[in-house]
Amino acid sequence: RELTGLRKNCDVFPIEIVVHDMEVDGKRLFTGIIRYISERVKAEEEMRRLATIVESANDPIIAVDTERRITVWNPAAEDLYGYALEEVLGKSVDFLFPPHLISIHEDNSGVIYSSGKIADYETQTVTTSGRIVDVISSGSPITDQFGSVIGAVGIHRDITERNESERALRESDARLSAQLLEGKTLEEEVQARKTHQLQTVFEIARILAGPTSFGAKAMAASRAIHDFLNADTVVLRTFNPEKNTIDVVATGGSRFID
């Protein structure tokens, strides 16, 4: 039975009393053993405090033994993963991870057992419905009173929404960059076509001002249109040397402005 002891200086302290009775020479005698339990009481209070923290935490807290069997599964873990405590207690924690990540988590558990706390890392877990969850995971060893490692505890912070927001932002930036690049490319193409058309006009003017016959000038002008505008066909429809006029039709030029 646990009671409270009182020292000579009036300090109180927790004690545990075990009473035994026996009969000696027809007389009933009692013996009592008083055990000082302050350290045990402090440890129990600390355990209750930690249990309250685990139970009220917003992030899933999961503890396992050295065989990776679940020993602690707080309400936040139930909420995120959809499994009740009685469904997972004593089971291997591997069901929480996609198959291709199980070996990585086994290696991380080995690091915790042998070297201590592991740095936070991003990974993925699976809910009871099969939904993939992005989490930041951290882990620390659990030791007994002698310092021997008896398990590990991990915290999973759900960052799925954050990652989805970041992916959406990156995709939006990529689309905007593509649109800007497309707009810039179209503008550059229009400017290039204008330049080629101006070059064609200047070349025709140079040809027509030359000393050759008008017929040669007409043919040279047709070739200039074909070359500078990259026209598929150039047809000299009307050729009038008396009036110094020509009528040229060009089709399919990749450098025309629509």
Side-chain angles (χ1 to χ4, degrees):
R1 182 179 179 182
E2 293 185 9
L3 298 172
T4 300
L6 181 65
R7 292 191 175 94
K8 183 178 179 180
N9 62 3
C10 295
D11 287 344
V12 295
F13 59 96
I15 58 174
E16 182 181 65
I17 296 180
V18 179
V19 178
H20 297 280
D21 66 311
M22 59 181 138
E23 190 171 322
V24 177
D25 297 331
K27 296 181 179 179
R28 191 179 183 189
L29 303 177
F30 296 90
T31 61
I33 299 174
I34 299 176
R35 183 180 294 116
Y36 179 65
I37 59 171
S38 289
E39 293 301 320
R40 191 186 78 186
V41 169
K42 288 180 182 179
E44 290 174 349
E45 290 175 349
E46 180 66 11
M47 288 294 294
R48 286 193 293 269
R49 186 182 71 84
L50 292 176
T52 300
I53 293 174
V54 169
E55 290 295 307
S56 61
N58 293 325
D59 294 324
I61 297 178
I62 303 166
V64 298
D65 60 20
T66 53
E67 299 297 323
R68 292 172 50 79
R69 294 175 299 216
I70 294 174
T71 57
V72 172
W73 181 266
N74 74 338
E78 293 187 13
D79 293 340
L80 179 60
Y81 296 119
Y83 297 97
L85 173 63
E86 57 269 17
E87 294 181 272
V88 302
L89 203 62
K91 290 185 178 180
S92 170
V93 74
D94 290 345
F95 72 88
L96 273 183
F97 307 108
H100 66 283
L101 294 179
I102 290 177
S103 62
I104 295 177
H105 289 282
E106 289 175 343
D107 292 341
N108 288 340
S109 295
V111 172
I112 293 173
Y113 297 148
S114 61
S115 305
K117 183 177 180 180
I118 192 170
D120 293 357
Y121 63 98
E122 186 170 339
T123 186
Q124 290 182 321
T125 52
V126 185
T127 69
T128 184
S129 65
R131 182 174 67 91
I132 298 296
V133 181
D134 297 331
V135 299
I136 292 290
S137 179
S138 61
S140 300
I142 301 173
T143 58
D144 60 17
Q145 65 270 32
F146 304 108
S148 300
V149 175
I150 59 174
V153 60
I155 301 175
H156 293 175
R157 176 160 298 169
D158 184 4
I159 58 169
T160 305
E161 290 186 6
R162 188 194 76 181
N163 284 358
E164 289 176 349
S165 297
E166 290 176 352
R167 280 193 290 269
L169 181 59
R170 287 195 298 270
E171 291 172 359
S172 177
D173 289 343
R175 287 194 298 269
L176 179 60
S177 298
Q179 290 171 356
L180 292 175
L181 181 60
E182 181 180 353
K184 182 179 180 181
T185 301
L186 179 59
E187 181 182 351
E188 290 174 347
E189 179 64 20
V190 171
Q191 186 59 43
R193 293 183 181 186
K194 288 180 179 180
T195 300
H196 284 297
Q197 290 193 6
L198 286 174
Q199 289 175 336
T200 304
V201 172
F202 293 148
E203 180 63 14
I204 292 174
R206 186 190 66 78
I207 291 171
L208 295 179
T212 58
S213 66
F214 189 75
K217 293 176 181 179
M219 295 303 296
S222 298
R223 285 195 301 272
I225 293 173
H226 179 276
D227 295 340
F228 279 88
L229 297 183
N230 198 24
D232 293 337
T233 61
V234 178
V235 179
L236 183 61
R237 289 198 309 188
T238 304
F239 170 58
N240 191 335
E242 296 179 357
K243 295 183 179 181
N244 290 335
T245 60
I246 60 174
D247 182 7
V248 179
V249 177
T251 61
S254 62
R255 294 170 181 167
F256 281 86
I257 299 178
D258 296 335

